[in-house]
Amino acid sequence: MWNRAERALRAAFRAGVPLDLHGTGVVRAEVIAELLLAGPPPRPGRTARVDLAGARITGRLDLTGARVDPPLRLRGCVFEEPLVLDHAELGSVNLDECELPGIDAESLRVRRFFGMRGATVHGAGWFHHARVGGAFDLTGTRFGGAVDLQRAVVEGDAKVGHGAAYAAGLRLNGARIAGDLNVAQATFRAPERGGPALSASGVTVGGGVWGHELEADGMVMMIGLRATAAIVLQRAVLRHPGDYALLLIEAQTAMLTLRLAPSSAGIVSLRDARAGRLVDDPAGWPQECRVELAGLAYDRISRRSGDTVEWTARQRLDWMARHDTVFSPGPYDQLAAALRRDGREEESREVLRVRERLRHRAMGRLGAVWGAVQDVTIGFGYRPARALLWLVAVLGAGTAWFGWSGPLHPVKPGEAPTWDPLLYTLDLLVPLVDLGHERAWDPVGPDKVVAVLIMALGWILATTVIAGVGRALRR
């Protein structure tokens, strides 16, 4: 026998109208299943549907393999047992503000929309390999167990944030989302048995991944994630001290915004990630976060429209120096190229100088000494004006020396030009230029040592000046 609430639901089903029991009615799960699968025909001009609110649903509502086109709306209902939708094909589902022990929906097919907003699920949510023809919305829902959306396909937006909480993690690996993936203002906790708090590796997103004010206690894995528009982690709190807090290895997007909250802690890995634009904040980077930059590629470094102060190359270099445990030239090459694209040529050269300085230090003591000499004298070739000053200084010192020690012995007596210490030093100093003085005089002893030193310095300094002029002409 059907009770009063069940008879009212049957009438509402036939009329295609909603029924709100205001928390006072009890409906057996088998009655809902019977209406959906073989219910009475609707009234003329009406579309049959289950649209129930405020009911306590007893028993297990099991729609495994069901084929149902009318919308299923169970709003604000309390389920005594888990909801089972495995391999079902439904028109649309609305479970807003419901309370459930759990939900099993493996390989569920929903033609239009799946919504479970503001609900409470005491156990797990299993949506493995589900497919939704429209949006998938878990906004504000709290899960006591793990939530699995791996290999799911969502033809609209996937909204799993804005107050949603995942006490044992959310897994999205291999999912394909045509619209946006919204995890903003969601809370994620790693499972007690181990594993990431949020796992979205290999996910393909047609829009953007929006993670404003996301909070995660445990690892956030986004390895190989591809988002057409953007990946945004603005004011996100990532906590996994002593281990990886964020893995964006091989991720790809048009814009990567990475501005973590000061309380974040752990390692952020951007190895081999690719972004068209990078938006970050080296000056405000969390003290307890270390970053891995090897292999990171980007075209431009941008700032947000609300930023009033632009970062400097020196700030970014200091930030990189704090985190580079093993020297790698790639991050410095990327930064220099991005600065050059923005017309910041002077800062680009400074970055390359720092790169060379660190590279020589990594070679050991001898390399560090040789690097220091190049840095001071010619700025590793990125300070051609300094090399020109050294040329003038060497020319003056050589002229003074040979003016004091000369004239030298002529190679062919009677055929040598008039002795001129300036022209002789200049002939030694400038490579590939013959003024007729170098070959005419034969230095010996200390004069020969000075002559060889001037020739060596001439090759080094002149080459640096020519290279610097060439770069200037190319600019």
Side-chain angles (χ1 to χ4, degrees):
M1 292 292 294
W2 288 20
N3 62 34
R4 181 182 299 177
E6 292 167 347
R7 290 193 296 272
L9 177 61
R10 182 178 185 274
F13 174 82
R14 288 196 64 201
V17 296
L19 173 65
D20 192 343
L21 298 177
H22 303 288
T24 60
V26 176
V27 177
R28 289 171 294 164
E30 61 188 65
V31 172
I32 298 175
E34 180 181 334
L35 289 174
L36 287 170
L37 300 176
R43 294 175 182 173
R46 302 282 183 160
T47 301
R49 60 175 177 169
V50 172
D51 192 340
L52 177 63
R56 174 172 290 276
I57 299 174
T58 61
R60 181 182 295 266
L61 180 53
D62 190 340
L63 297 176
T64 299
R67 304 293 185 268
V68 177
D69 185 65
L72 173 62
R73 302 185 69 193
L74 301 171
R75 295 164 292 109
C77 295
V78 178
F79 290 74
E80 290 188 350
E81 296 189 33
L83 173 62
V84 181
L85 302 175
D86 293 338
H87 303 279
E89 291 187 10
L90 307 176
S92 64
V93 179
N94 188 322
L95 300 170
D96 290 353
E97 299 179 357
C98 285
E99 183 178 346
L100 306 95
I103 178 169
D104 294 325
E106 181 172 0
S107 297
L108 169 69
R109 299 294 185 266
V110 179
R111 285 184 287 277
R112 294 181 291 277
F113 169 79
F114 183 97
M116 190 166 63
R117 295 162 292 198
T120 300
V121 182
H122 297 289
W126 188 262
F127 302 94
H128 189 89
H129 214 281
R131 187 179 191 108
V132 180
F136 181 88
D137 197 344
L138 300 181
T139 297
T141 294
R142 307 180 71 84
F143 290 88
V147 179
D148 192 308
L149 268 163
Q150 296 183 103
R151 302 182 64 80
V153 177
V154 179
E155 300 297 339
D157 296 335
K159 303 175 182 179
V160 294
H162 291 285
Y166 304 87
L170 170 63
R171 298 190 294 271
L172 289 159
N173 301 328
R176 291 188 290 120
I177 301 166
D180 294 332
L181 171 60
N182 196 319
V183 293
Q185 298 177 357
T187 302
F188 302 89
R189 300 286 183 270
E192 292 183 359
R193 65 181 183 277
L198 171 60
S199 184
S201 297
V203 173
T204 302
V205 180
V209 178
W210 310 108
H212 300 77
E213 300 178 13
L214 171 155
E215 183 177 342
D217 281 325
M219 186 185 303
V220 174
M221 293 182 63
M222 295 182 174
I223 299 173
L225 184 149
R226 285 166 170 76
T228 301
I231 300 173
V232 178
L233 292 172
Q234 175 77 8
R235 298 186 300 279
V237 180
L238 307 180
R239 291 185 292 259
H240 202 203
D243 206 335
Y244 285 99
L246 174 62
L247 291 174
L248 272 169
I249 298 171
E250 296 182 353
Q252 296 184 18
T253 187
M255 182 180 71
L256 172 60
T257 298
L258 194 58
R259 291 184 149 188
L260 305 184
S263 58
S264 296
I267 305 170
V268 175
S269 181
L270 303 178
R271 296 197 308 269
D272 301 317
R274 180 74 177 88
R277 288 197 297 150
L278 176 63
V279 182
D280 61 357
D281 182 17
W285 189 257
Q287 292 296 320
E288 300 300 320
C289 275
R290 187 166 66 83
V291 63
E292 294 179 350
L293 298 170
L296 172 64
Y298 50 87
D299 298 326
R300 302 279 300 276
I301 299 181
S302 303
R303 58 177 182 164
R304 291 173 59 86
S305 58
D307 294 343
T308 57
V309 179
E310 187 173 17
W311 56 266
T312 65
R314 174 47 55 189
Q315 287 176 319
R316 188 168 291 275
L317 286 170
D318 292 342
W319 173 69
M320 293 168 66
R322 292 202 309 269
H323 303 291
D324 277 347
T325 55
V326 179
F327 170 72
S328 174
Y332 296 89
D333 292 334
Q334 278 291 317
L335 176 56
L339 290 168
R340 193 178 303 115
R341 292 188 190 101
D342 285 340
R344 300 165 69 170
E345 187 66 34
E346 183 66 24
E347 290 181 299
S348 174
R349 290 198 299 271
E350 178 62 23
V351 170
L352 294 175
R353 279 188 63 205
V354 172
R355 179 201 64 184
E356 289 301 306
R357 188 181 303 152
L358 296 174
R359 184 174 70 86
H360 281 81
R361 288 176 183 173
M363 295 178 183
R365 183 173 298 177
L366 186 61
V369 171
W370 176 235
V373 172
Q374 292 187 76
D375 195 7
V376 171
T377 55
I378 59 176
F380 294 108
Y382 296 102
R383 290 289 185 268
R386 184 182 297 179
L388 185 60
L389 290 175
W390 277 101
L391 274 172
V392 173
V394 171
L395 177 61
T399 300
W401 172 268
F402 290 116
W404 172 77
S405 66
L408 304 181
H409 296 288
V411 175
K412 295 180 180 181
E415 298 183 11
T418 302
W419 169 248
D420 190 324
L422 174 62
L423 292 179
Y424 178 70
T425 305
L426 186 62
D427 210 358
L428 291 172
L429 187 60
V430 181
L432 305 178
V433 174
D434 186 4
L435 300 178
H437 286 257
E438 176 189 347
R439 292 182 292 104
W441 304 98
D442 183 21
V444 294
D447 292 331
K448 189 167 188 176
V449 174
V450 173
V452 171
L453 181 60
I454 290 173
M455 291 175 65
L457 290 174
W459 276 103
I460 295 172
L461 297 172
T463 302
T464 302
V465 171
I466 292 170
V469 171
R471 284 194 294 271
L473 289 176
R474 284 195 298 273
R475 293 196 299 273

